[in-house]
Amino acid sequence: MLALRLARGAHPLVQLRRLLVAAASAGTGFLLLCTLGYAMGHPDASGGALLRLAWCVAPIAATVYFAVTVARTDPATKPRSGLSAVGLGPAKLSVLAAISTAVACTLGSMVALLFFLHLRGDLTGLPFDGAAAELLAADQPLPLAAALTLLAVVPLTATAASAAVLRPRTAKPGKEQSEPTELYAPAAPGSAPSGLPWGVALLAAGLAVEGYASRSAGTSALTLPGGLAGSPVGVLAGWTLTAIGLALAGPGLTYLCGRVLQAARPGAMRLLAGRGLQEEARRIGQPLGVLCAVGSGAYAALTLYAGDRPAIGPLTMLGALLVAGCAVLTLATVTIEAKHARADTTSALLQLGAPAAMLRGTAALRAGTLAVVIGPLTWIVAELAAVPLAR
């Protein structure tokens, strides 16, 4: 009940984020239910059903990642003075955040179920009644237990991940209990993120696996969504390693961008922009790396589709939109959070007489530097990833 009251009184922007989480959960739940419909309509094609279910992993991961980010940036999860006295300490606030995530994801799953039943023709009275009856095996009874199990995947995973990320840190002997763990906690500018070497190694390994698998004869192949057939399993595994490597390398790349801006006797604007990127490296670096991975995958897919132009199904398009949309929304959410975290510093600079134009120029310099570094990197990875798939 307390979680619902906090949700009702939240800022409209916070409410919008929760609705977006519910929408992402609805889209992912609908994809899972469509996989169930395919399995019901093709009982002999168990391999195809399992492959479709495996392709739902990417939308599930993107939705959970976005839900955890929204839960972490929710103002209701921030410890405040006096709340511990009424029983709302860090542990209780993390529980409330997990409950809010569960409510939003469950709402989306229920919307997905209603839409699925409507397209099957089980629910009438709305437009497009039974429009996909044949595709969703409307002639067979729906196994309710299986449907509810699939719909519970996103809420349970997102709730568990939110609770794990926002759990309070264990207090060291002689020290008080600290605040909940932050997923992208800002560092001191002198402390560089440690994931860059691992990210580069995974990126190189992924590209090497893709190249080796594309040249190996007799390797097993999977049919990609949209009609791309004959893609070796090793190529897909290599692209997965590449995506993970970009996500791990994101914070380190952001930190290095900050150091480059401060090189060679920087002025006030470059110094502020560089220090800002260093402090926000852990906060925005990982979502930026994820977006880089999604962008490289999208570019590679567009390059392949530009040739034969195979038919792209609506479910494939929905899955792609879910992954790309969640990646963009996650980066936007952490960017807004970073702006709020800089509010005190910005206010102090304005009080000291810093012109507003300089602060706007600093923000533009940070964004431009990231675009100059991340853009070409995304293009290079996309070109290298598209070569094995095109063979």
Side-chain angles (χ1 to χ4, degrees), residues 3-387:
L4 293 177
R5 290 181 178 179
L6 291 174
R8 286 173 49 193
H11 191 273
L13 182 59
V14 178
Q15 300 284 27
L16 177 61
R17 293 174 186 171
R18 292 168 179 166
L19 288 177
L20 290 175
V21 170
S25 177
T28 305
F30 182 74
L31 287 178
L32 291 171
L33 290 177
C34 289
T35 300
L36 176 61
Y38 178 85
M40 294 166 55
H42 303 80
D44 297 332
S46 59
L50 289 176
L51 180 59
R52 288 171 176 258
L53 187 62
W55 277 113
C56 293
V57 172
I60 291 173
T63 302
V64 171
Y65 188 55
F66 177 48
V68 171
T69 302
V70 170
R72 187 184 58 82
T73 57
D74 194 334
T77 65
K78 305 299 181 183
R80 300 180 182 89
S81 59
L83 289 181
S84 298
V86 295
L88 292 179
K92 184 67 173 181
L93 290 177
S94 64
V95 172
L96 292 179
I99 294 176
S100 298
T101 303
V103 170
C105 293
T106 302
L107 176 62
S109 295
M110 292 300 101
V111 171
L113 178 60
L114 293 177
F115 190 65
F116 178 79
L117 295 176
H118 170 61
L119 292 181
R120 273 175 51 95
D122 297 334
L123 299 178
T124 58
L126 295 174
F128 307 105
D129 286 338
E134 183 178 355
L135 178 64
L136 302 180
D139 57 336
Q140 300 183 25
L142 179 68
L144 187 59
L148 294 180
T149 300
L150 290 176
L151 289 175
V153 170
V154 173
L156 290 179
T157 306
T159 302
S162 299
V165 168
L166 296 174
R167 73 187 187 279
R169 295 190 183 97
T170 303
K172 295 182 180 180
K175 294 186 178 181
E176 297 180 356
Q177 178 70 33
S178 60
E179 297 180 358
T181 302
E182 291 200 8
L183 188 58
Y184 316 111
S191 174
S194 58
L196 183 58
W198 289 103
V200 173
L202 286 177
L203 177 61
L207 293 175
V209 169
E210 289 184 52
Y212 177 78
S214 65
R215 292 181 174 85
S216 300
T219 55
S220 59
L222 296 177
T223 301
L224 294 175
L228 289 176
S231 298
V233 179
V235 172
L236 303 179
W239 189 87
T240 302
L241 290 176
T242 301
I244 296 175
L246 287 172
L248 289 178
L253 289 175
T254 305
Y255 187 89
L256 287 180
C257 288
R259 293 199 63 177
V260 170
L261 280 176
Q262 299 175 78
R265 302 177 63 180
M269 185 179 296
R270 283 203 292 139
L271 184 62
L272 286 175
R275 284 302 178 103
L277 285 179
Q278 286 182 319
E279 291 180 357
E280 297 166 3
R282 287 177 173 84
R283 190 190 304 272
I284 67 174
Q286 192 176 40
L288 189 62
V290 172
L291 184 61
C292 180
V294 173
S296 64
Y299 181 87
L302 290 176
T303 302
L304 296 177
Y305 281 122
D308 299 334
R309 295 187 180 274
I312 303 177
L315 296 181
T316 301
M317 183 62 66
L318 176 59
L321 289 177
L322 279 173
V323 174
C326 287
V328 172
L329 290 173
T330 300
L331 181 59
T333 301
V334 298
T335 301
I336 294 175
E337 183 195 16
K339 180 180 179 181
H340 292 165
R342 294 194 307 268
D344 293 339
T345 302
T346 303
S347 177
L349 290 174
L350 291 175
Q351 291 177 4
L352 290 174
M358 188 189 73
L359 298 180
R360 290 193 296 269
T362 300
L365 183 59
R366 285 197 300 266
T369 303
L370 291 176
V372 168
V373 174
I374 299 299
L377 175 63
T378 302
W379 177 77
I380 292 173
V381 173
E383 288 288 350
L384 293 176
V387 171

